[in-house]
Each structure stands twice: as C-alpha cells, then as structure tokens.
Amino acid sequence: MPSAHILVVDDEPDIRALLKEILDEEGYVVEVAASAEAAREARRARRPDLVLLDIWMPGDDGITLLKEWQEEGALNVPVIMMSGHGTVETAVEATRLGAYDFIEKPLSLAKLLVTVQRGLQAFNLSRENAGLRQRSGSLDEPVGRSAAMQALREQVGRIAAHDTPVLVLGEAGSGKGSFARYIHESGPRASGPFIDVGVISLDGDNPAIELFGSEEGEQIHYGLLEQANGGTLFLDDIGDLSDGLQARLLGALESGSYHRIGGTEPVNVELRLIAASHYNLEQRVAEGRFRHDLYYLLNVLPVVIPPLRDHAEDVPELLNFYTDQFVAQDKLPYRSFSVAAQNRLRHYAWPGNVRELRNLVQRLLIVGNSESIEAEEVEAALGAQPQAAMGSAIAYELPLRQAREQFERDYFEHILREYDGSVVKAAKHAGVERTHLYRKLRALGIDAKHVGK
C-alpha cells in the first residue's frame, strides 16, 4: 500500500532525526532537509505529499520559502509550519501564505501526528472536491444485475487485484470512467490518488507540461503523472494522444521515470495506468495512428464495456439509481417511473448509453411536476433527444451525401447548444478528435459560438 511522502525541513539535526524516526514508525516515507536550498532540491527530485517546515533557519527562513512556493503556484500540498519562537503575527502570516497549520516547539508528538494525519486527509478531500478524483455520476460499484454486468464485475474484480495497466474499451457514455474508478478502489492503490484526465480536454500550447510537468529556474510545475504517484492515473480518450506524448508516456511506464519539460534530473513515479478509448485501437495501430508498443503494453488486461442496448434489462435499476442520486445530491424532487415508462425505456436504443440515461433522468426530475413519470412524458423527452429529433427531420428522398450532411449538421448543432458552444465538450460527447470536429464544423458552415448562444 502506498505511503505518503513527507518532507521535513529543519536546521536542527536532533529534531530532523527525531521526526524522521517517529514518522518512519508511522509508515510514512520521510525525507529531511537542513535548509531552504536543500528543501528546494528535495522538492525538485520528488513531489512531497506534506511538508513540515521550520520557520527560523540560516539563510532563507521558512516564511520566505513558503512565500516563494505560494507565488510560483507550487503550494499544492499541505505545509505545517514549526517554530520555537512563534508569534501571533508569524502564525497569521504563514496562514495567509497558505500554510495548513502552525505548531510550536517543543513539539508534542501526539499533536504532531494528529496534525499530519488531518493535513493529508484535508488535502485528499480538497483534491476530490476539485474533481481530480471523481467523475460526475460515477458509482462505487457499477449498477446492473444482468448476466453481462455480473460477469464484467467479476472480471474487473480479478483484474483490480493486480497492478498491471488496464485498457477499458467501449462506446462513448457506456461507463468507462465508472469502471476505471471501480478498478482503482478495489485494488492495492485505493488509498492513493485517482487522477482523472480526459486527453481531449488537455488544453494550452503544450499539453506535455500538463502530463509531465516542467522546470524553469527554481519554479517547478508538477504534472499529472506526479500528482498520481502512489495511486492511479486514468487517461480517458487515450486514442487522441499525440505521437510525441505516446512516446513519452511509453518511456515513463517502461522505466518508471521521466524528465519534466525543461528538467535535467529524472523523476521517479510508481502508479497504475488505466486507459480508456472508444476507438478501435487495434485498427488505429494498423493505420499508423497509435503506437503498437504502447498498445501492447496497455492491452495486457483489456476490459470491454457493453453498450446499454446490450443489457437493457438493467435500465429499471439504473433509472432508480440515478433518481435516488439526484434526489440526494442535487435535492431534486423525487419522481417514480411508471411500469409503462420503464418498459418504453427498456426498448429504447440508447445511442448515448448510460450517460444519456443519466441526463434523461435529470431532465425529467427538473421539468416535471407530477409524482409519477408516465410513458407519454418519456416519449416527449425522447423526442427532444438528438437521434429522435433528427430522424424525423431527415428527408429520405435526398441523395446519401446530402442526407448525411443534414444529419451531421443537426447533430452537431444540437450538441453545441447542449454545451453552450464548447467545441471541447462537444468533441468529447461525440467521441471525435477536437481538430477533426473543428474541420467538420467549418465544412458544414457551423459557427460554434453562434450556435451556443
């Protein structure tokens, strides 16, 4: 089980030795530094999960170092300040600069251990709330009593016990993220972070920095791989990863280390990679669009998520689950689905899979005002779905090329309206590469910003 990495910064050798001994006994991985400069080098070599930082030290003091980290945006871990000559003003200044807590010397070891434990817990909670560890609508255990889902859960349970990379395949919206989380929470790294990265959502001029971090002078940016150290990195839409990033990722996985962008020293990482794709990666390998060596590394333990239409008997249970979830989390009014409504939805094709079902439940709970959801209301809601709305609008007497263009125009305009004109979100929903969607919109004469208004 991965242990938190703690950096102790104090110029007194006895205190460094005592803290290292006590924290080692508690199962933490401890590194010590005798000065601000040594602390900078330690942070450069490995991202700590928590820092114990003395205030009064030769050279740069602890407040100066804390301010430096805060200004460069690197204060993304809890920092506990220590001082034998603290004042209220010093404590206030440390708190203003982002310190988690302030403890006085001589140290009470019992208080120290409690503060360290609470600091780590608070940081993990804040990371979850920021969305780094959870996906909207994800489940502790994926829902469904069908034979297909039971067999899938059994397979995933066996896979989770190992630390090998996993490749999760399935159509867009089928629940790949839920299964990735389930694998993480059922495996040996469950106490570590779960970093969820949608490859298609990586933005900025250099997505490599987001994944691998960067160094520029004394400034260090920790990438997503380092944030996932000791836990799981979930890379959704891995088929959209560029050739250069595929090569970097492969090297990091095979060697267990890599260089930050602009860095000169290797960074060691120990994590589990779960990758997901709605593409046929084997076909993309044959087309030269995905590295064969990365594919073979990921494909040791493949998991295929069936589309919802192939286990439609789970629809009533999913309806109940998401109804309860929206009522509990979003305080929406409870409404039950009638037998006729459930029967209609069991026979619906669900082109958007579980994600579409979840969105439909949310819409019905928001717009309806009766206690029961009847088949007529479901039919009207399905009529507003992209597939139904477009199916009735297509003129079948048109040539195939023109009919396809009409379908695509209606489809993408609908999605863009749903996401307020966001091409990034629309591309992810549609399961296409962002650059491909930009080209498609230009060809169809669609102005994303105008449609989103």
Side-chain angles (χ1 to χ4, degrees), residues 68-102:
E68 176 186 305
W69 292 343
Q70 192 266 349
E71 288 178 346
E72 70 181 39
L75 196 62
N76 54 3
V77 298
V79 177
I80 299 171
M81 307 299 294
M82 304 181 295
S83 175
H85 309 283
T87 64
V88 173
E89 291 79 7
T90 305
V92 170
E93 176 69 2
T95 303
R96 186 184 68 81
L97 292 171
Y100 169 75
D101 208 341
F102 184 99

PDB file of all heavy atoms in Angstrom, residues 68-102:
ATOM      1  N   GLU A  68       7.724  31.896  -1.447  1.00  0.00           N
ATOM      2  CA  GLU A  68       8.266  31.558  -2.768  1.00  0.00           C
ATOM      3  C   GLU A  68       7.412  30.496  -3.438  1.00  0.00           C
ATOM      4  O   GLU A  68       7.059  30.596  -4.622  1.00  0.00           O
ATOM      5  CB  GLU A  68       9.699  31.070  -2.601  1.00  0.00           C
ATOM      6  CG  GLU A  68      10.365  30.582  -3.868  1.00  0.00           C
ATOM      7  CD  GLU A  68      11.725  29.978  -3.584  1.00  0.00           C
ATOM      8  OE1 GLU A  68      12.558  30.676  -2.958  1.00  0.00           O
ATOM      9  OE2 GLU A  68      11.959  28.813  -3.970  1.00  0.00           O
ATOM     10  N   TRP A  69       7.060  29.452  -2.697  1.00  0.00           N
ATOM     11  CA  TRP A  69       6.233  28.380  -3.257  1.00  0.00           C
ATOM     12  C   TRP A  69       4.835  28.898  -3.603  1.00  0.00           C
ATOM     13  O   TRP A  69       4.259  28.509  -4.613  1.00  0.00           O
ATOM     14  CB  TRP A  69       6.134  27.222  -2.270  1.00  0.00           C
ATOM     15  CG  TRP A  69       7.437  26.495  -2.068  1.00  0.00           C
ATOM     16  CD1 TRP A  69       8.543  26.552  -2.864  1.00  0.00           C
ATOM     17  CD2 TRP A  69       7.764  25.618  -0.994  1.00  0.00           C
ATOM     18  NE1 TRP A  69       9.544  25.754  -2.353  1.00  0.00           N
ATOM     19  CE2 TRP A  69       9.100  25.167  -1.207  1.00  0.00           C
ATOM     20  CE3 TRP A  69       7.092  25.166   0.129  1.00  0.00           C
ATOM     21  CZ2 TRP A  69       9.746  24.282  -0.355  1.00  0.00           C
ATOM     22  CZ3 TRP A  69       7.729  24.274   0.998  1.00  0.00           C
ATOM     23  CH2 TRP A  69       9.053  23.846   0.751  1.00  0.00           C
ATOM     24  N   GLN A  70       4.315  29.758  -2.755  1.00  0.00           N
ATOM     25  CA  GLN A  70       2.975  30.277  -2.995  1.00  0.00           C
ATOM     26  C   GLN A  70       2.944  31.142  -4.242  1.00  0.00           C
ATOM     27  O   GLN A  70       2.015  31.062  -5.054  1.00  0.00           O
ATOM     28  CB  GLN A  70       2.512  31.066  -1.767  1.00  0.00           C
ATOM     29  CG  GLN A  70       1.029  31.408  -1.768  1.00  0.00           C
ATOM     30  CD  GLN A  70       0.742  32.766  -2.351  1.00  0.00           C
ATOM     31  OE1 GLN A  70       1.636  33.554  -2.582  1.00  0.00           O
ATOM     32  NE2 GLN A  70      -0.531  33.020  -2.636  1.00  0.00           N
ATOM     33  N   GLU A  71       3.963  31.958  -4.443  1.00  0.00           N
ATOM     34  CA  GLU A  71       3.995  32.869  -5.593  1.00  0.00           C
ATOM     35  C   GLU A  71       4.186  32.140  -6.909  1.00  0.00           C
ATOM     36  O   GLU A  71       3.686  32.584  -7.948  1.00  0.00           O
ATOM     37  CB  GLU A  71       5.109  33.909  -5.395  1.00  0.00           C
ATOM     38  CG  GLU A  71       4.791  34.943  -4.321  1.00  0.00           C
ATOM     39  CD  GLU A  71       5.929  35.928  -4.121  1.00  0.00           C
ATOM     40  OE1 GLU A  71       7.049  35.639  -4.622  1.00  0.00           O
ATOM     41  OE2 GLU A  71       5.706  36.964  -3.464  1.00  0.00           O
ATOM     42  N   GLU A  72       4.905  31.028  -6.877  1.00  0.00           N
ATOM     43  CA  GLU A  72       5.125  30.287  -8.128  1.00  0.00           C
ATOM     44  C   GLU A  72       4.011  29.288  -8.393  1.00  0.00           C
ATOM     45  O   GLU A  72       4.044  28.547  -9.376  1.00  0.00           O
ATOM     46  CB  GLU A  72       6.476  29.580  -8.105  1.00  0.00           C
ATOM     47  CG  GLU A  72       6.564  28.403  -7.149  1.00  0.00           C
ATOM     48  CD  GLU A  72       7.946  27.755  -7.152  1.00  0.00           C
ATOM     49  OE1 GLU A  72       8.949  28.471  -7.228  1.00  0.00           O
ATOM     50  OE2 GLU A  72       7.993  26.506  -7.071  1.00  0.00           O
ATOM     51  N   GLY A  73       3.011  29.260  -7.520  1.00  0.00           N
ATOM     52  CA  GLY A  73       1.872  28.367  -7.734  1.00  0.00           C
ATOM     53  C   GLY A  73       2.168  26.927  -7.415  1.00  0.00           C
ATOM     54  O   GLY A  73       1.451  26.033  -7.859  1.00  0.00           O
ATOM     55  N   ALA A  74       3.231  26.664  -6.648  1.00  0.00           N
ATOM     56  CA  ALA A  74       3.617  25.288  -6.352  1.00  0.00           C
ATOM     57  C   ALA A  74       3.131  24.819  -4.995  1.00  0.00           C
ATOM     58  O   ALA A  74       3.480  23.738  -4.559  1.00  0.00           O
ATOM     59  CB  ALA A  74       5.147  25.147  -6.411  1.00  0.00           C
ATOM     60  N   LEU A  75       2.338  25.649  -4.294  1.00  0.00           N
ATOM     61  CA  LEU A  75       1.871  25.278  -2.963  1.00  0.00           C
ATOM     62  C   LEU A  75       0.616  24.431  -3.089  1.00  0.00           C
ATOM     63  O   LEU A  75      -0.483  24.831  -2.729  1.00  0.00           O
ATOM     64  CB  LEU A  75       1.594  26.530  -2.130  1.00  0.00           C
ATOM     65  CG  LEU A  75       1.469  26.308  -0.618  1.00  0.00           C
ATOM     66  CD1 LEU A  75       2.765  25.754  -0.049  1.00  0.00           C
ATOM     67  CD2 LEU A  75       1.116  27.614   0.076  1.00  0.00           C
ATOM     68  N   ASN A  76       0.788  23.240  -3.671  1.00  0.00           N
ATOM     69  CA  ASN A  76      -0.342  22.349  -3.876  1.00  0.00           C
ATOM     70  C   ASN A  76      -0.298  21.149  -2.961  1.00  0.00           C
ATOM     71  O   ASN A  76      -0.899  20.115  -3.243  1.00  0.00           O
ATOM     72  CB  ASN A  76      -0.400  21.906  -5.343  1.00  0.00           C
ATOM     73  CG  ASN A  76       0.921  21.307  -5.803  1.00  0.00           C
ATOM     74  OD1 ASN A  76       1.856  21.170  -5.023  1.00  0.00           O
ATOM     75  ND2 ASN A  76       0.988  20.948  -7.069  1.00  0.00           N
ATOM     76  N   VAL A  77       0.428  21.269  -1.839  1.00  0.00           N
ATOM     77  CA  VAL A  77       0.450  20.238  -0.811  1.00  0.00           C
ATOM     78  C   VAL A  77       0.328  20.945   0.542  1.00  0.00           C
ATOM     79  O   VAL A  77       0.678  22.117   0.671  1.00  0.00           O
ATOM     80  CB  VAL A  77       1.752  19.399  -0.851  1.00  0.00           C
ATOM     81  CG1 VAL A  77       1.880  18.671  -2.181  1.00  0.00           C
ATOM     82  CG2 VAL A  77       2.970  20.254  -0.583  1.00  0.00           C
ATOM     83  N   PRO A  78      -0.176  20.258   1.582  1.00  0.00           N
ATOM     84  CA  PRO A  78      -0.277  20.896   2.895  1.00  0.00           C
ATOM     85  C   PRO A  78       1.104  21.153   3.492  1.00  0.00           C
ATOM     86  O   PRO A  78       1.987  20.292   3.449  1.00  0.00           O
ATOM     87  CB  PRO A  78      -1.077  19.887   3.725  1.00  0.00           C
ATOM     88  CG  PRO A  78      -0.925  18.584   3.023  1.00  0.00           C
ATOM     89  CD  PRO A  78      -0.750  18.905   1.572  1.00  0.00           C
ATOM     90  N   VAL A  79       1.302  22.356   4.043  1.00  0.00           N
ATOM     91  CA  VAL A  79       2.547  22.743   4.701  1.00  0.00           C
ATOM     92  C   VAL A  79       2.236  23.074   6.156  1.00  0.00           C
ATOM     93  O   VAL A  79       1.385  23.921   6.436  1.00  0.00           O
ATOM     94  CB  VAL A  79       3.192  23.963   4.015  1.00  0.00           C
ATOM     95  CG1 VAL A  79       4.455  24.379   4.764  1.00  0.00           C
ATOM     96  CG2 VAL A  79       3.524  23.639   2.555  1.00  0.00           C
ATOM     97  N   ILE A  80       2.907  22.394   7.081  1.00  0.00           N
ATOM     98  CA  ILE A  80       2.744  22.632   8.514  1.00  0.00           C
ATOM     99  C   ILE A  80       3.992  23.351   9.003  1.00  0.00           C
ATOM    100  O   ILE A  80       5.105  22.828   8.902  1.00  0.00           O
ATOM    101  CB  ILE A  80       2.548  21.305   9.277  1.00  0.00           C
ATOM    102  CG1 ILE A  80       1.286  20.591   8.773  1.00  0.00           C
ATOM    103  CG2 ILE A  80       2.456  21.566  10.783  1.00  0.00           C
ATOM    104  CD1 ILE A  80       1.125  19.179   9.319  1.00  0.00           C
ATOM    105  N   MET A  81       3.807  24.548   9.510  1.00  0.00           N
ATOM    106  CA  MET A  81       4.923  25.356   9.989  1.00  0.00           C
ATOM    107  C   MET A  81       5.276  24.973  11.434  1.00  0.00           C
ATOM    108  O   MET A  81       4.393  24.666  12.236  1.00  0.00           O
ATOM    109  CB  MET A  81       4.582  26.848   9.925  1.00  0.00           C
ATOM    110  CG  MET A  81       4.099  27.337   8.568  1.00  0.00           C
ATOM    111  SD  MET A  81       5.312  27.109   7.253  1.00  0.00           S
ATOM    112  CE  MET A  81       6.618  28.242   7.791  1.00  0.00           C
ATOM    113  N   MET A  82       6.595  25.020  11.756  1.00  0.00           N
ATOM    114  CA  MET A  82       7.077  24.702  13.109  1.00  0.00           C
ATOM    115  C   MET A  82       7.945  25.861  13.589  1.00  0.00           C
ATOM    116  O   MET A  82       8.742  26.410  12.820  1.00  0.00           O
ATOM    117  CB  MET A  82       7.904  23.407  13.101  1.00  0.00           C
ATOM    118  CG  MET A  82       7.197  22.201  12.530  1.00  0.00           C
ATOM    119  SD  MET A  82       8.237  20.720  12.580  1.00  0.00           S
ATOM    120  CE  MET A  82       9.561  21.196  11.439  1.00  0.00           C
ATOM    121  N   SER A  83       7.810  26.226  14.884  1.00  0.00           N
ATOM    122  CA  SER A  83       8.631  27.305  15.417  1.00  0.00           C
ATOM    123  C   SER A  83       8.703  27.237  16.929  1.00  0.00           C
ATOM    124  O   SER A  83       7.708  26.920  17.597  1.00  0.00           O
ATOM    125  CB  SER A  83       8.067  28.668  15.004  1.00  0.00           C
ATOM    126  OG  SER A  83       8.805  29.711  15.622  1.00  0.00           O
ATOM    127  N   GLY A  84       9.905  27.521  17.465  1.00  0.00           N
ATOM    128  CA  GLY A  84      10.080  27.608  18.907  1.00  0.00           C
ATOM    129  C   GLY A  84       9.927  29.010  19.420  1.00  0.00           C
ATOM    130  O   GLY A  84       9.908  29.249  20.627  1.00  0.00           O
ATOM    131  N   HIS A  85       9.819  29.966  18.529  1.00  0.00           N
ATOM    132  CA  HIS A  85       9.696  31.365  18.924  1.00  0.00           C
ATOM    133  C   HIS A  85       8.602  32.027  18.101  1.00  0.00           C
ATOM    134  O   HIS A  85       8.773  33.110  17.562  1.00  0.00           O
ATOM    135  CB  HIS A  85      11.026  32.110  18.713  1.00  0.00           C
ATOM    136  CG  HIS A  85      12.199  31.418  19.336  1.00  0.00           C
ATOM    137  ND1 HIS A  85      12.462  31.448  20.687  1.00  0.00           N
ATOM    138  CD2 HIS A  85      13.177  30.645  18.778  1.00  0.00           C
ATOM    139  CE1 HIS A  85      13.554  30.738  20.941  1.00  0.00           C
ATOM    140  NE2 HIS A  85      14.002  30.242  19.799  1.00  0.00           N
ATOM    141  N   GLY A  86       7.492  31.363  18.011  1.00  0.00           N
ATOM    142  CA  GLY A  86       6.424  31.876  17.179  1.00  0.00           C
ATOM    143  C   GLY A  86       5.654  32.997  17.849  1.00  0.00           C
ATOM    144  O   GLY A  86       5.592  33.099  19.067  1.00  0.00           O
ATOM    145  N   THR A  87       5.081  33.845  17.033  1.00  0.00           N
ATOM    146  CA  THR A  87       4.214  34.908  17.498  1.00  0.00           C
ATOM    147  C   THR A  87       2.896  34.816  16.741  1.00  0.00           C
ATOM    148  O   THR A  87       2.787  34.106  15.730  1.00  0.00           O
ATOM    149  CB  THR A  87       4.839  36.287  17.240  1.00  0.00           C
ATOM    150  OG1 THR A  87       4.965  36.485  15.823  1.00  0.00           O
ATOM    151  CG2 THR A  87       6.195  36.403  17.909  1.00  0.00           C
ATOM    152  N   VAL A  88       1.910  35.531  17.238  1.00  0.00           N
ATOM    153  CA  VAL A  88       0.616  35.531  16.562  1.00  0.00           C
ATOM    154  C   VAL A  88       0.763  36.086  15.151  1.00  0.00           C
ATOM    155  O   VAL A  88       0.185  35.568  14.188  1.00  0.00           O
ATOM    156  CB  VAL A  88      -0.393  36.372  17.369  1.00  0.00           C
ATOM    157  CG1 VAL A  88      -1.701  36.511  16.588  1.00  0.00           C
ATOM    158  CG2 VAL A  88      -0.654  35.740  18.721  1.00  0.00           C
ATOM    159  N   GLU A  89       1.584  37.127  15.004  1.00  0.00           N
ATOM    160  CA  GLU A  89       1.778  37.729  13.684  1.00  0.00           C
ATOM    161  C   GLU A  89       2.406  36.732  12.715  1.00  0.00           C
ATOM    162  O   GLU A  89       2.041  36.669  11.535  1.00  0.00           O
ATOM    163  CB  GLU A  89       2.666  38.974  13.793  1.00  0.00           C
ATOM    164  CG  GLU A  89       2.008  40.153  14.499  1.00  0.00           C
ATOM    165  CD  GLU A  89       2.025  40.003  16.023  1.00  0.00           C
ATOM    166  OE1 GLU A  89       2.678  39.044  16.513  1.00  0.00           O
ATOM    167  OE2 GLU A  89       1.388  40.814  16.706  1.00  0.00           O
ATOM    168  N   THR A  90       3.372  35.942  13.206  1.00  0.00           N
ATOM    169  CA  THR A  90       4.020  34.948  12.341  1.00  0.00           C
ATOM    170  C   THR A  90       3.021  33.878  11.903  1.00  0.00           C
ATOM    171  O   THR A  90       3.001  33.471  10.730  1.00  0.00           O
ATOM    172  CB  THR A  90       5.192  34.286  13.083  1.00  0.00           C
ATOM    173  OG1 THR A  90       6.085  35.284  13.545  1.00  0.00           O
ATOM    174  CG2 THR A  90       5.931  33.332  12.157  1.00  0.00           C
ATOM    175  N   ALA A  91       2.206  33.422  12.847  1.00  0.00           N
ATOM    176  CA  ALA A  91       1.210  32.411  12.515  1.00  0.00           C
ATOM    177  C   ALA A  91       0.199  32.934  11.500  1.00  0.00           C
ATOM    178  O   ALA A  91      -0.190  32.234  10.563  1.00  0.00           O
ATOM    179  CB  ALA A  91       0.497  31.948  13.782  1.00  0.00           C
ATOM    180  N   VAL A  92      -0.212  34.197  11.685  1.00  0.00           N
ATOM    181  CA  VAL A  92      -1.158  34.804  10.742  1.00  0.00           C
ATOM    182  C   VAL A  92      -0.539  34.919   9.356  1.00  0.00           C
ATOM    183  O   VAL A  92      -1.182  34.632   8.337  1.00  0.00           O
ATOM    184  CB  VAL A  92      -1.606  36.192  11.256  1.00  0.00           C
ATOM    185  CG1 VAL A  92      -2.384  36.937  10.168  1.00  0.00           C
ATOM    186  CG2 VAL A  92      -2.451  36.044  12.505  1.00  0.00           C
ATOM    187  N   GLU A  93       0.730  35.332   9.296  1.00  0.00           N
ATOM    188  CA  GLU A  93       1.412  35.457   8.009  1.00  0.00           C
ATOM    189  C   GLU A  93       1.524  34.106   7.312  1.00  0.00           C
ATOM    190  O   GLU A  93       1.294  33.990   6.097  1.00  0.00           O
ATOM    191  CB  GLU A  93       2.798  36.065   8.223  1.00  0.00           C
ATOM    192  CG  GLU A  93       3.654  36.168   6.957  1.00  0.00           C
ATOM    193  CD  GLU A  93       3.150  37.172   5.946  1.00  0.00           C
ATOM    194  OE1 GLU A  93       2.138  37.847   6.224  1.00  0.00           O
ATOM    195  OE2 GLU A  93       3.760  37.273   4.859  1.00  0.00           O
ATOM    196  N   ALA A  94       1.881  33.058   8.085  1.00  0.00           N
ATOM    197  CA  ALA A  94       2.001  31.719   7.498  1.00  0.00           C
ATOM    198  C   ALA A  94       0.659  31.240   6.954  1.00  0.00           C
ATOM    199  O   ALA A  94       0.579  30.670   5.862  1.00  0.00           O
ATOM    200  CB  ALA A  94       2.531  30.740   8.550  1.00  0.00           C
ATOM    201  N   THR A  95      -0.406  31.492   7.705  1.00  0.00           N
ATOM    202  CA  THR A  95      -1.741  31.086   7.256  1.00  0.00           C
ATOM    203  C   THR A  95      -2.146  31.844   5.998  1.00  0.00           C
ATOM    204  O   THR A  95      -2.722  31.281   5.066  1.00  0.00           O
ATOM    205  CB  THR A  95      -2.767  31.324   8.378  1.00  0.00           C
ATOM    206  OG1 THR A  95      -2.369  30.602   9.543  1.00  0.00           O
ATOM    207  CG2 THR A  95      -4.152  30.858   7.950  1.00  0.00           C
ATOM    208  N   ARG A  96      -1.844  33.142   5.958  1.00  0.00           N
ATOM    209  CA  ARG A  96      -2.175  33.956   4.783  1.00  0.00           C
ATOM    210  C   ARG A  96      -1.469  33.437   3.539  1.00  0.00           C
ATOM    211  O   ARG A  96      -2.009  33.518   2.426  1.00  0.00           O
ATOM    212  CB  ARG A  96      -1.779  35.411   5.036  1.00  0.00           C
ATOM    213  CG  ARG A  96      -2.204  36.369   3.929  1.00  0.00           C
ATOM    214  CD  ARG A  96      -1.704  37.776   4.201  1.00  0.00           C
ATOM    215  NE  ARG A  96      -0.250  37.846   4.105  1.00  0.00           N
ATOM    216  CZ  ARG A  96       0.429  37.943   2.956  1.00  0.00           C
ATOM    217  NH1 ARG A  96      -0.226  37.940   1.797  1.00  0.00           N
ATOM    218  NH2 ARG A  96       1.746  38.028   2.943  1.00  0.00           N
ATOM    219  N   LEU A  97      -0.270  32.888   3.730  1.00  0.00           N
ATOM    220  CA  LEU A  97       0.506  32.376   2.602  1.00  0.00           C
ATOM    221  C   LEU A  97       0.120  30.949   2.224  1.00  0.00           C
ATOM    222  O   LEU A  97       0.709  30.373   1.310  1.00  0.00           O
ATOM    223  CB  LEU A  97       2.001  32.450   2.921  1.00  0.00           C
ATOM    224  CG  LEU A  97       2.585  33.865   3.016  1.00  0.00           C
ATOM    225  CD1 LEU A  97       4.015  33.813   3.551  1.00  0.00           C
ATOM    226  CD2 LEU A  97       2.555  34.551   1.654  1.00  0.00           C
ATOM    227  N   GLY A  98      -0.848  30.384   2.926  1.00  0.00           N
ATOM    228  CA  GLY A  98      -1.359  29.075   2.533  1.00  0.00           C
ATOM    229  C   GLY A  98      -0.952  27.917   3.399  1.00  0.00           C
ATOM    230  O   GLY A  98      -1.254  26.760   3.066  1.00  0.00           O
ATOM    231  N   ALA A  99      -0.255  28.160   4.532  1.00  0.00           N
ATOM    232  CA  ALA A  99       0.122  27.056   5.415  1.00  0.00           C
ATOM    233  C   ALA A  99      -1.127  26.392   5.976  1.00  0.00           C
ATOM    234  O   ALA A  99      -2.113  27.060   6.302  1.00  0.00           O
ATOM    235  CB  ALA A  99       1.008  27.563   6.559  1.00  0.00           C
ATOM    236  N   TYR A 100      -1.086  25.068   6.105  1.00  0.00           N
ATOM    237  CA  TYR A 100      -2.237  24.341   6.626  1.00  0.00           C
ATOM    238  C   TYR A 100      -2.391  24.558   8.125  1.00  0.00           C
ATOM    239  O   TYR A 100      -3.500  24.741   8.635  1.00  0.00           O
ATOM    240  CB  TYR A 100      -2.102  22.851   6.314  1.00  0.00           C
ATOM    241  CG  TYR A 100      -3.130  22.007   7.043  1.00  0.00           C
ATOM    242  CD1 TYR A 100      -4.461  22.003   6.620  1.00  0.00           C
ATOM    243  CD2 TYR A 100      -2.777  21.241   8.154  1.00  0.00           C
ATOM    244  CE1 TYR A 100      -5.417  21.253   7.294  1.00  0.00           C
ATOM    245  CE2 TYR A 100      -3.721  20.484   8.828  1.00  0.00           C
ATOM    246  CZ  TYR A 100      -5.036  20.498   8.394  1.00  0.00           C
ATOM    247  OH  TYR A 100      -5.980  19.761   9.069  1.00  0.00           O
ATOM    248  N   ASP A 101      -1.270  24.538   8.861  1.00  0.00           N
ATOM    249  CA  ASP A 101      -1.342  24.680  10.316  1.00  0.00           C
ATOM    250  C   ASP A 101      -0.010  25.192  10.845  1.00  0.00           C
ATOM    251  O   ASP A 101       0.989  25.265  10.106  1.00  0.00           O
ATOM    252  CB  ASP A 101      -1.713  23.350  10.978  1.00  0.00           C
ATOM    253  CG  ASP A 101      -2.452  23.532  12.305  1.00  0.00           C
ATOM    254  OD1 ASP A 101      -2.365  24.637  12.886  1.00  0.00           O
ATOM    255  OD2 ASP A 101      -3.118  22.581  12.751  1.00  0.00           O
ATOM    256  N   PHE A 102       0.015  25.501  12.127  1.00  0.00           N
ATOM    257  CA  PHE A 102       1.188  26.074  12.793  1.00  0.00           C
ATOM    258  C   PHE A 102       1.308  25.402  14.157  1.00  0.00           C
ATOM    259  O   PHE A 102       0.366  25.423  14.951  1.00  0.00           O
ATOM    260  CB  PHE A 102       0.978  27.588  12.961  1.00  0.00           C
ATOM    261  CG  PHE A 102       2.154  28.312  13.544  1.00  0.00           C
ATOM    262  CD1 PHE A 102       3.043  28.995  12.727  1.00  0.00           C
ATOM    263  CD2 PHE A 102       2.378  28.325  14.915  1.00  0.00           C
ATOM    264  CE1 PHE A 102       4.124  29.686  13.261  1.00  0.00           C
ATOM    265  CE2 PHE A 102       3.452  29.007  15.456  1.00  0.00           C
ATOM    266  CZ  PHE A 102       4.333  29.688  14.621  1.00  0.00           C
TER     267      PHE A 102
END
